[in-house]
PDB file of all heavy atoms in Angstrom:
ATOM      1  N   ASN A   4       0.839  -1.204   0.000  1.00 91.00           N
ATOM      2  CA  ASN A   4       0.000   0.000   0.000  1.00 91.00           C
ATOM      3  C   ASN A   4       0.873   1.254   0.000  1.00 91.00           C
ATOM      4  O   ASN A   4       0.579   2.250   0.675  1.00 91.00           O
ATOM      5  CB  ASN A   4      -0.958   0.011   1.193  1.00 91.00           C
ATOM      6  CG  ASN A   4      -2.104   0.998   1.012  1.00 91.00           C
ATOM      7  OD1 ASN A   4      -2.469   1.344  -0.107  1.00 91.00           O
ATOM      8  ND2 ASN A   4      -2.662   1.453   2.118  1.00 91.00           N
ATOM      9  N   ASN A   5       1.975   1.150  -0.781  1.00 89.00           N
ATOM     10  CA  ASN A   5       2.925   2.249  -0.968  1.00 89.00           C
ATOM     11  C   ASN A   5       3.652   2.675   0.304  1.00 89.00           C
ATOM     12  O   ASN A   5       4.118   3.820   0.417  1.00 89.00           O
ATOM     13  CB  ASN A   5       2.233   3.454  -1.618  1.00 89.00           C
ATOM     14  CG  ASN A   5       1.759   3.150  -3.023  1.00 89.00           C
ATOM     15  OD1 ASN A   5       2.480   2.541  -3.804  1.00 89.00           O
ATOM     16  ND2 ASN A   5       0.545   3.547  -3.346  1.00 89.00           N
ATOM     17  N   ALA A   6       3.779   1.742   1.242  1.00 97.00           N
ATOM     18  CA  ALA A   6       4.668   1.984   2.381  1.00 97.00           C
ATOM     19  C   ALA A   6       6.121   1.927   1.933  1.00 97.00           C
ATOM     20  O   ALA A   6       7.005   2.482   2.586  1.00 97.00           O
ATOM     21  CB  ALA A   6       4.418   0.947   3.472  1.00 97.00           C
ATOM     22  N   TYR A   7       6.361   1.251   0.799  1.00 98.00           N
ATOM     23  CA  TYR A   7       7.682   1.178   0.194  1.00 98.00           C
ATOM     24  C   TYR A   7       7.651   1.925  -1.135  1.00 98.00           C
ATOM     25  O   TYR A   7       6.585   2.264  -1.659  1.00 98.00           O
ATOM     26  CB  TYR A   7       8.088  -0.271  -0.070  1.00 98.00           C
ATOM     27  CG  TYR A   7       8.029  -1.178   1.133  1.00 98.00           C
ATOM     28  CD1 TYR A   7       7.713  -2.525   0.980  1.00 98.00           C
ATOM     29  CD2 TYR A   7       8.289  -0.715   2.422  1.00 98.00           C
ATOM     30  CE1 TYR A   7       7.659  -3.380   2.076  1.00 98.00           C
ATOM     31  CE2 TYR A   7       8.245  -1.556   3.514  1.00 98.00           C
ATOM     32  CZ  TYR A   7       7.924  -2.890   3.345  1.00 98.00           C
ATOM     33  OH  TYR A   7       7.864  -3.730   4.430  1.00 98.00           O
ATOM     34  N   LYS A   8       8.838   2.171  -1.696  1.00 97.00           N
ATOM     35  CA  LYS A   8       8.929   2.807  -3.008  1.00 97.00           C
ATOM     36  C   LYS A   8      10.134   2.259  -3.751  1.00 97.00           C
ATOM     37  O   LYS A   8      11.068   1.706  -3.153  1.00 97.00           O
ATOM     38  CB  LYS A   8       9.058   4.322  -2.868  1.00 97.00           C
ATOM     39  CG  LYS A   8      10.390   4.765  -2.247  1.00 97.00           C
ATOM     40  CD  LYS A   8      10.507   6.285  -2.150  1.00 97.00           C
ATOM     41  CE  LYS A   8      11.859   6.697  -1.546  1.00 97.00           C
ATOM     42  NZ  LYS A   8      11.982   8.164  -1.406  1.00 97.00           N
ATOM     43  N   LEU A   9      10.111   2.422  -5.066  1.00 96.00           N
ATOM     44  CA  LEU A   9      11.276   2.106  -5.889  1.00 96.00           C
ATOM     45  C   LEU A   9      12.191   3.316  -5.936  1.00 96.00           C
ATOM     46  O   LEU A   9      11.724   4.451  -6.084  1.00 96.00           O
ATOM     47  CB  LEU A   9      10.860   1.737  -7.313  1.00 96.00           C
ATOM     48  CG  LEU A   9      10.249   0.359  -7.550  1.00 96.00           C
ATOM     49  CD1 LEU A   9      10.055   0.146  -9.047  1.00 96.00           C
ATOM     50  CD2 LEU A   9      11.119  -0.741  -6.986  1.00 96.00           C
ATOM     51  N   VAL A  10      13.477   3.071  -5.855  1.00 97.00           N
ATOM     52  CA  VAL A  10      14.451   4.143  -6.013  1.00 97.00           C
ATOM     53  C   VAL A  10      14.486   4.601  -7.474  1.00 97.00           C
ATOM     54  O   VAL A  10      14.776   5.751  -7.774  1.00 97.00           O
ATOM     55  CB  VAL A  10      15.843   3.673  -5.536  1.00 97.00           C
ATOM     56  CG1 VAL A  10      16.920   4.702  -5.863  1.00 97.00           C
ATOM     57  CG2 VAL A  10      15.806   3.405  -4.033  1.00 97.00           C
ATOM     58  N   ASP A  11      14.159   3.685  -8.389  1.00 95.00           N
ATOM     59  CA  ASP A  11      14.176   3.963  -9.826  1.00 95.00           C
ATOM     60  C   ASP A  11      15.571   4.337 -10.297  1.00 95.00           C
ATOM     61  O   ASP A  11      15.796   5.355 -10.941  1.00 95.00           O
ATOM     62  CB  ASP A  11      13.176   5.067 -10.185  1.00 95.00           C
ATOM     63  CG  ASP A  11      12.900   5.119 -11.682  1.00 95.00           C
ATOM     64  OD1 ASP A  11      13.181   4.111 -12.374  1.00 95.00           O
ATOM     65  OD2 ASP A  11      12.403   6.149 -12.166  1.00 95.00           O
ATOM     66  N   ALA A  12      16.523   3.452  -9.948  1.00 96.00           N
ATOM     67  CA  ALA A  12      17.914   3.611 -10.382  1.00 96.00           C
ATOM     68  C   ALA A  12      18.426   2.251 -10.851  1.00 96.00           C
ATOM     69  O   ALA A  12      19.268   1.629 -10.205  1.00 96.00           O
ATOM     70  CB  ALA A  12      18.771   4.139  -9.246  1.00 96.00           C
ATOM     71  N   PRO A  13      17.910   1.751 -11.982  1.00 96.00           N
ATOM     72  CA  PRO A  13      18.271   0.406 -12.437  1.00 96.00           C
ATOM     73  C   PRO A  13      19.756   0.283 -12.734  1.00 96.00           C
ATOM     74  O   PRO A  13      20.386   1.226 -13.198  1.00 96.00           O
ATOM     75  CB  PRO A  13      17.432   0.223 -13.702  1.00 96.00           C
ATOM     76  CG  PRO A  13      17.104   1.605 -14.157  1.00 96.00           C
ATOM     77  CD  PRO A  13      17.005   2.435 -12.921  1.00 96.00           C
ATOM     78  N   PHE A  14      20.310  -0.913 -12.450  1.00 96.00           N
ATOM     79  CA  PHE A  14      21.739  -1.104 -12.668  1.00 96.00           C
ATOM     80  C   PHE A  14      22.089  -2.428 -13.336  1.00 96.00           C
ATOM     81  O   PHE A  14      23.257  -2.801 -13.392  1.00 96.00           O
ATOM     82  CB  PHE A  14      22.519  -0.941 -11.348  1.00 96.00           C
ATOM     83  CG  PHE A  14      22.074  -1.833 -10.213  1.00 96.00           C
ATOM     84  CD1 PHE A  14      22.680  -3.054  -9.990  1.00 96.00           C
ATOM     85  CD2 PHE A  14      21.075  -1.428  -9.356  1.00 96.00           C
ATOM     86  CE1 PHE A  14      22.282  -3.867  -8.933  1.00 96.00           C
ATOM     87  CE2 PHE A  14      20.672  -2.222  -8.292  1.00 96.00           C
ATOM     88  CZ  PHE A  14      21.278  -3.449  -8.083  1.00 96.00           C
ATOM     89  N   SER A  15      21.104  -3.131 -13.872  1.00 94.00           N
ATOM     90  CA  SER A  15      21.400  -4.312 -14.692  1.00 94.00           C
ATOM     91  C   SER A  15      20.157  -4.678 -15.486  1.00 94.00           C
ATOM     92  O   SER A  15      19.038  -4.285 -15.139  1.00 94.00           O
ATOM     93  CB  SER A  15      21.826  -5.503 -13.825  1.00 94.00           C
ATOM     94  OG  SER A  15      20.701  -6.101 -13.215  1.00 94.00           O
ATOM     95  N   GLU A  16      20.350  -5.444 -16.557  1.00 93.00           N
ATOM     96  CA  GLU A  16      19.241  -6.003 -17.317  1.00 93.00           C
ATOM     97  C   GLU A  16      19.105  -7.474 -16.972  1.00 93.00           C
ATOM     98  O   GLU A  16      20.105  -8.175 -16.828  1.00 93.00           O
ATOM     99  CB  GLU A  16      19.465  -5.842 -18.821  1.00 93.00           C
ATOM    100  CG  GLU A  16      19.375  -4.411 -19.305  1.00 93.00           C
ATOM    101  CD  GLU A  16      19.543  -4.304 -20.808  1.00 93.00           C
ATOM    102  OE1 GLU A  16      19.881  -5.332 -21.443  1.00 93.00           O
ATOM    103  OE2 GLU A  16      19.343  -3.214 -21.350  1.00 93.00           O
ATOM    104  N   GLU A  17      17.843  -7.953 -16.828  1.00 94.00           N
ATOM    105  CA  GLU A  17      17.582  -9.324 -16.424  1.00 94.00           C
ATOM    106  C   GLU A  17      16.609  -9.985 -17.403  1.00 94.00           C
ATOM    107  O   GLU A  17      15.393  -9.817 -17.300  1.00 94.00           O
ATOM    108  CB  GLU A  17      17.002  -9.358 -15.006  1.00 94.00           C
ATOM    109  CG  GLU A  17      17.858  -8.648 -13.966  1.00 94.00           C
ATOM    110  CD  GLU A  17      19.240  -9.262 -13.817  1.00 94.00           C
ATOM    111  OE1 GLU A  17      19.387 -10.487 -13.978  1.00 94.00           O
ATOM    112  OE2 GLU A  17      20.198  -8.507 -13.550  1.00 94.00           O
ATOM    113  N   PRO A  18      17.125 -10.717 -18.401  1.00 96.00           N
ATOM    114  CA  PRO A  18      16.246 -11.382 -19.363  1.00 96.00           C
ATOM    115  C   PRO A  18      15.690 -12.685 -18.782  1.00 96.00           C
ATOM    116  O   PRO A  18      16.434 -13.592 -18.424  1.00 96.00           O
ATOM    117  CB  PRO A  18      17.185 -11.666 -20.545  1.00 96.00           C
ATOM    118  CG  PRO A  18      18.539 -11.786 -19.923  1.00 96.00           C
ATOM    119  CD  PRO A  18      18.558 -10.884 -18.730  1.00 96.00           C
ATOM    120  N   TYR A  19      14.363 -12.782 -18.677  1.00 97.00           N
ATOM    121  CA  TYR A  19      13.724 -13.973 -18.130  1.00 97.00           C
ATOM    122  C   TYR A  19      13.543 -15.020 -19.225  1.00 97.00           C
ATOM    123  O   TYR A  19      13.028 -14.718 -20.314  1.00 97.00           O
ATOM    124  CB  TYR A  19      12.345 -13.646 -17.564  1.00 97.00           C
ATOM    125  CG  TYR A  19      12.338 -12.739 -16.357  1.00 97.00           C
ATOM    126  CD1 TYR A  19      11.135 -12.178 -15.912  1.00 97.00           C
ATOM    127  CD2 TYR A  19      13.497 -12.443 -15.648  1.00 97.00           C
ATOM    128  CE1 TYR A  19      11.102 -11.351 -14.798  1.00 97.00           C
ATOM    129  CE2 TYR A  19      13.468 -11.612 -14.532  1.00 97.00           C
ATOM    130  CZ  TYR A  19      12.271 -11.072 -14.122  1.00 97.00           C
ATOM    131  OH  TYR A  19      12.232 -10.249 -13.016  1.00 97.00           O
ATOM    132  N   GLY A  20      13.920 -16.250 -18.913  1.00 98.00           N
ATOM    133  CA  GLY A  20      13.769 -17.344 -19.864  1.00 98.00           C
ATOM    134  C   GLY A  20      13.016 -18.519 -19.267  1.00 98.00           C
ATOM    135  O   GLY A  20      12.804 -18.599 -18.055  1.00 98.00           O
ATOM    136  N   ILE A  21      12.617 -19.439 -20.135  1.00 98.00           N
ATOM    137  CA  ILE A  21      11.999 -20.699 -19.722  1.00 98.00           C
ATOM    138  C   ILE A  21      13.115 -21.728 -19.616  1.00 98.00           C
ATOM    139  O   ILE A  21      13.725 -22.101 -20.618  1.00 98.00           O
ATOM    140  CB  ILE A  21      10.933 -21.168 -20.730  1.00 98.00           C
ATOM    141  CG1 ILE A  21       9.835 -20.112 -20.872  1.00 98.00           C
ATOM    142  CG2 ILE A  21      10.346 -22.511 -20.311  1.00 98.00           C
ATOM    143  CD1 ILE A  21       8.806 -20.440 -21.949  1.00 98.00           C
ATOM    144  N   GLY A  22      13.395 -22.172 -18.399  1.00 98.00           N
ATOM    145  CA  GLY A  22      14.454 -23.148 -18.193  1.00 98.00           C
ATOM    146  C   GLY A  22      13.968 -24.563 -18.447  1.00 98.00           C
ATOM    147  O   GLY A  22      12.830 -24.911 -18.126  1.00 98.00           O
ATOM    148  N   HIS A  23      14.835 -25.385 -19.042  1.00 98.00           N
ATOM    149  CA  HIS A  23      14.492 -26.797 -19.275  1.00 98.00           C
ATOM    150  C   HIS A  23      15.778 -27.613 -19.338  1.00 98.00           C
ATOM    151  O   HIS A  23      16.889 -27.068 -19.270  1.00 98.00           O
ATOM    152  CB  HIS A  23      13.677 -26.955 -20.563  1.00 98.00           C
ATOM    153  CG  HIS A  23      14.430 -26.580 -21.813  1.00 98.00           C
ATOM    154  ND1 HIS A  23      15.149 -27.483 -22.559  1.00 98.00           N
ATOM    155  CD2 HIS A  23      14.591 -25.387 -22.430  1.00 98.00           C
ATOM    156  CE1 HIS A  23      15.711 -26.874 -23.584  1.00 98.00           C
ATOM    157  NE2 HIS A  23      15.387 -25.594 -23.531  1.00 98.00           N
ATOM    158  N   LYS A  24      15.624 -28.922 -19.450  1.00 97.00           N
ATOM    159  CA  LYS A  24      16.771 -29.825 -19.371  1.00 97.00           C
ATOM    160  C   LYS A  24      17.772 -29.534 -20.490  1.00 97.00           C
ATOM    161  O   LYS A  24      17.407 -29.333 -21.651  1.00 97.00           O
ATOM    162  CB  LYS A  24      16.306 -31.278 -19.424  1.00 97.00           C
ATOM    163  CG  LYS A  24      17.372 -32.287 -19.059  1.00 97.00           C
ATOM    164  CD  LYS A  24      16.779 -33.607 -18.596  1.00 97.00           C
ATOM    165  CE  LYS A  24      16.184 -33.502 -17.212  1.00 97.00           C
ATOM    166  NZ  LYS A  24      15.759 -34.818 -16.656  1.00 97.00           N
ATOM    167  N   LYS A  25      19.025 -29.538 -20.130  1.00 97.00           N
ATOM    168  CA  LYS A  25      20.095 -29.203 -21.074  1.00 97.00           C
ATOM    169  C   LYS A  25      20.200 -30.238 -22.187  1.00 97.00           C
ATOM    170  O   LYS A  25      20.098 -31.436 -21.961  1.00 97.00           O
ATOM    171  CB  LYS A  25      21.433 -29.092 -20.339  1.00 97.00           C
ATOM    172  CG  LYS A  25      22.550 -28.522 -21.216  1.00 97.00           C
ATOM    173  CD  LYS A  25      23.759 -28.154 -20.387  1.00 97.00           C
ATOM    174  CE  LYS A  25      24.876 -27.607 -21.276  1.00 97.00           C
ATOM    175  NZ  LYS A  25      24.449 -26.387 -21.999  1.00 97.00           N
ATOM    176  N   GLY A  26      20.419 -29.732 -23.413  1.00 96.00           N
ATOM    177  CA  GLY A  26      20.647 -30.603 -24.560  1.00 96.00           C
ATOM    178  C   GLY A  26      19.414 -30.992 -25.337  1.00 96.00           C
ATOM    179  O   GLY A  26      19.520 -31.647 -26.382  1.00 96.00           O
ATOM    180  N   ASP A  27      18.225 -30.588 -24.875  1.00 97.00           N
ATOM    181  CA  ASP A  27      16.982 -30.917 -25.578  1.00 97.00           C
ATOM    182  C   ASP A  27      16.687 -29.816 -26.595  1.00 97.00           C
ATOM    183  O   ASP A  27      15.845 -28.953 -26.390  1.00 97.00           O
ATOM    184  CB  ASP A  27      15.841 -31.069 -24.579  1.00 97.00           C
ATOM    185  CG  ASP A  27      14.608 -31.736 -25.181  1.00 97.00           C
ATOM    186  OD1 ASP A  27      14.508 -31.765 -26.426  1.00 97.00           O
ATOM    187  OD2 ASP A  27      13.763 -32.214 -24.404  1.00 97.00           O
ATOM    188  N   ASP A  28      17.407 -29.872 -27.708  1.00 96.00           N
ATOM    189  CA  ASP A  28      17.313 -28.803 -28.705  1.00 96.00           C
ATOM    190  C   ASP A  28      15.932 -28.715 -29.337  1.00 96.00           C
ATOM    191  O   ASP A  28      15.435 -27.617 -29.614  1.00 96.00           O
ATOM    192  CB  ASP A  28      18.362 -29.012 -29.801  1.00 96.00           C
ATOM    193  CG  ASP A  28      19.784 -28.836 -29.306  1.00 96.00           C
ATOM    194  OD1 ASP A  28      19.954 -28.317 -28.182  1.00 96.00           O
ATOM    195  OD2 ASP A  28      20.728 -29.226 -30.024  1.00 96.00           O
ATOM    196  N   ALA A  29      15.293 -29.868 -29.584  1.00 97.00           N
ATOM    197  CA  ALA A  29      13.969 -29.860 -30.214  1.00 97.00           C
ATOM    198  C   ALA A  29      12.946 -29.190 -29.304  1.00 97.00           C
ATOM    199  O   ALA A  29      12.074 -28.445 -29.768  1.00 97.00           O
ATOM    200  CB  ALA A  29      13.535 -31.283 -30.544  1.00 97.00           C
ATOM    201  N   PHE A  30      13.058 -29.432 -28.017  1.00 98.00           N
ATOM    202  CA  PHE A  30      12.127 -28.810 -27.062  1.00 98.00           C
ATOM    203  C   PHE A  30      12.382 -27.305 -26.975  1.00 98.00           C
ATOM    204  O   PHE A  30      11.446 -26.513 -26.941  1.00 98.00           O
ATOM    205  CB  PHE A  30      12.283 -29.472 -25.696  1.00 98.00           C
ATOM    206  CG  PHE A  30      11.201 -29.116 -24.699  1.00 98.00           C
ATOM    207  CD1 PHE A  30       9.887 -28.927 -25.105  1.00 98.00           C
ATOM    208  CD2 PHE A  30      11.497 -29.003 -23.350  1.00 98.00           C
ATOM    209  CE1 PHE A  30       8.885 -28.617 -24.178  1.00 98.00           C
ATOM    210  CE2 PHE A  30      10.516 -28.690 -22.421  1.00 98.00           C
ATOM    211  CZ  PHE A  30       9.206 -28.499 -22.846  1.00 98.00           C
ATOM    212  N   ARG A  31      13.646 -26.908 -26.963  1.00 98.00           N
ATOM    213  CA  ARG A  31      13.956 -25.480 -26.922  1.00 98.00           C
ATOM    214  C   ARG A  31      13.429 -24.784 -28.177  1.00 98.00           C
ATOM    215  O   ARG A  31      12.878 -23.678 -28.087  1.00 98.00           O
ATOM    216  CB  ARG A  31      15.463 -25.249 -26.786  1.00 98.00           C
ATOM    217  CG  ARG A  31      15.805 -23.769 -26.610  1.00 98.00           C
ATOM    218  CD  ARG A  31      17.254 -23.524 -26.245  1.00 98.00           C
ATOM    219  NE  ARG A  31      18.156 -23.831 -27.333  1.00 98.00           N
ATOM    220  CZ  ARG A  31      19.066 -24.797 -27.304  1.00 98.00           C
ATOM    221  NH1 ARG A  31      19.197 -25.572 -26.252  1.00 98.00           N
ATOM    222  NH2 ARG A  31      19.855 -25.018 -28.346  1.00 98.00           N
TER     223      ARG A  31
END
């Protein structure tokens, strides 16, 4: 309820991905 706030000073980019078992190229 806005007791907190964002500083709004970003310092990295974070690309979200769908993780899955390594080596399953067809599934990826």
Side-chain angles (χ1 to χ4, degrees):
N4 197 25
N5 295 316
Y7 305 148
K8 68 179 181 182
L9 284 186
V10 172
D11 195 19
F14 56 93
S15 77
E16 290 182 352
E17 305 299 327
Y19 294 168
I21 301 175
H23 64 92
K24 192 158 286 188
K25 189 168 179 61
D27 194 342
D28 293 347
F30 191 36
R31 185 170 69 245

